[in-house]
Amino acid sequence: MEKAVATAQAQPNIALIKYWGKRDVSRNLPAVGSLSLTLATLWTRMKVEFSTDFDRDCLQVDGEVAVDMLPRVSRCLDQVAGSNRPRASIESHCNFPIAAGLASSASAFAALVVAANKACGQASDIFDEETIAAVASRDTLALARLAGAASGSAARSLFGGIVELATGDDDIDVATLLAASTWPLRVVVAVTERGHKSVASGDAMILSEKSSPFYSSWIENQDHDLEVARSAVNDRDFEKLATVSEHNCLKMHSVMWTSRPPIVYWNQGTLACMEAIRDLQSAGQAVFFTMDAGPQVKAICQPDNEALVMQTLSEVDGVETIMSSGLGAAACILDDA
Ligand code: DP6
């Protein structure tokens, strides 16, 4: 056999306690731990085909050749399949807007690593012995570390439900804290802009480290926030999780805003959604917001008020689309048939 092919699917994840900052840029190790929700209904599907017939890697995203993202994807494949690997054709499909702060790189790199690793294991005649031995020994954590080396948040999409990532001594540790079925949280996403984000999160966090006077206190306080969030999750304490998550999100955005030049991902729609969520909270609704490196607002709520949260956010000026999801499963291989 001269080719090896596999397809995998991964769901994006939404961080409640955020990753912002790198401890080691060359290995892409995060400076802080993080805690996230893996979604159920949004996905990226990646088909990876290695073949000795290809003379270079080729990436297509939703049917279009994607040159910009290719070097990062090729580097990730080198890590999974060795730098002497055959070249690959990679096809990515996504059912939500890419690069608009909806964690598309998380689901993309998680799916890429899972598909590439599976493909390597299928055709021993085109990979070197070292790669074949490495592939055979990889567990989910090893795959998460490879995904994290490509994009920090991608490591979390290897796992389902509520996921915690710890910085670890030499590499990250990441695992499910609570299974998706154990606490049926809902995530309502208000899309306030469909365009690509202005500054990539990786570049932005390096800028924050260099220039924000708040960066060091952000790092110092993260363990405390993680501890509070972890205990809130273990006790299914929505109120406690809401308070620490909003606080952590606003701290991350304060670090961004106080970077030089400032990094501002929000737009008017973002602020209007936050206000609408505050009004719901004042009316006694269990709901809270979080935002990442983009203007979209994610409202975390419960099954019984999900319809109300969706209806309220859909009426906010500047909201283009509303999506909603429960908590979902880990990245997995799809049957190509
Ligand atoms: C704001 O994982 O995209 O979404 O490691 O440079 O690829 P790189 O960064 P990335 O950063 C995500 C930042 C965030 C917060 C989070 O998801 O924890």
Side-chain angles (χ1 to χ4, degrees), residues 48 90 189 195 234:
V48 178
I90 309 108
V189 181
N234 287 331

Side-chain angles (χ1 to χ4, degrees), residues 122-335:
Q122 282 181 347
S124 52
D125 46 348
I126 63 170
F127 297 98
D128 58 37
E129 276 176 27
E130 207 182 315
T131 303
I132 293 159
V135 165
S137 70
R138 274 177 198 143
D139 57 8
T140 310
L141 176 60
L143 294 176
R145 287 174 171 171
L146 287 168
S151 184
S153 54
R156 300 185 309 239
S157 278
L158 263 295
F159 296 85
I162 304 184
V163 177
E164 183 173 358
L165 183 151
T167 47
D169 286 338
D170 180 54
D171 207 333
I172 55 164
D173 280 313
V174 49
T176 294
L177 193 60
L178 201 71
S181 55
T182 318
W183 195 11
L185 297 175
R186 305 293 304 179
V187 180
V188 175
V189 181
V191 177
T192 63
E193 198 178 296
R194 278 185 168 267
H196 279 240
K197 60 188 165 201
S198 45
V199 196
S201 34
D203 298 337
M205 54 181 89
I206 293 170
L207 182 67
S208 289
E209 180 182 2
K210 280 191 193 134
S211 60
S212 170
F214 297 168
Y215 183 81
S216 54
S217 57
W218 157 255
I219 302 287
E220 274 162 32
N221 286 297
Q222 187 78 345
D223 281 349
H224 176 258
D225 287 1
L226 276 167
E227 205 178 299
V228 175
R230 196 182 307 123
S231 81
V233 168
N234 287 331
D235 298 346
R236 322 282 194 276
D237 185 335
F238 189 91
E239 201 62 38
K240 190 169 169 184
L241 187 62
T243 307
V244 71
S245 300
E246 286 193 353
H247 177 65
N248 189 268
C249 165
L250 293 173
K251 269 195 303 196
M252 178 185 74
H253 284 275
S254 306
V255 172
M256 294 171 175
W257 282 38
T258 50
S259 300
R260 293 184 177 186
I263 305 152
V264 180
Y265 287 113
W266 300 356
N267 60 23
Q268 306 243 346
T270 315
L271 284 160
C273 286
M274 289 164 71
E275 203 180 326
I277 291 167
R278 283 275 181 261
D279 289 346
L280 285 169
Q281 289 170 337
S282 301
Q285 292 297 325
V287 57
F288 66 92
F289 60 72
T290 192
M291 289 79 63
D292 293 289
Q296 330 309 354
V297 175
K298 293 100 181 186
I300 322 303
C301 60
Q302 293 178 332
D304 60 357
N305 65 357
E306 180 186 15
L308 173 68
V309 171
M310 287 180 80
Q311 180 62 32
T312 305
L313 291 180
S314 69
E315 287 164 6
V316 169
D317 266 358
V319 171
E320 293 182 10
T321 322
I322 294 280
M323 297 181 283
S324 135
S325 176
L327 304 195
C332 64
I333 289 290
L334 293 181
D335 187 351

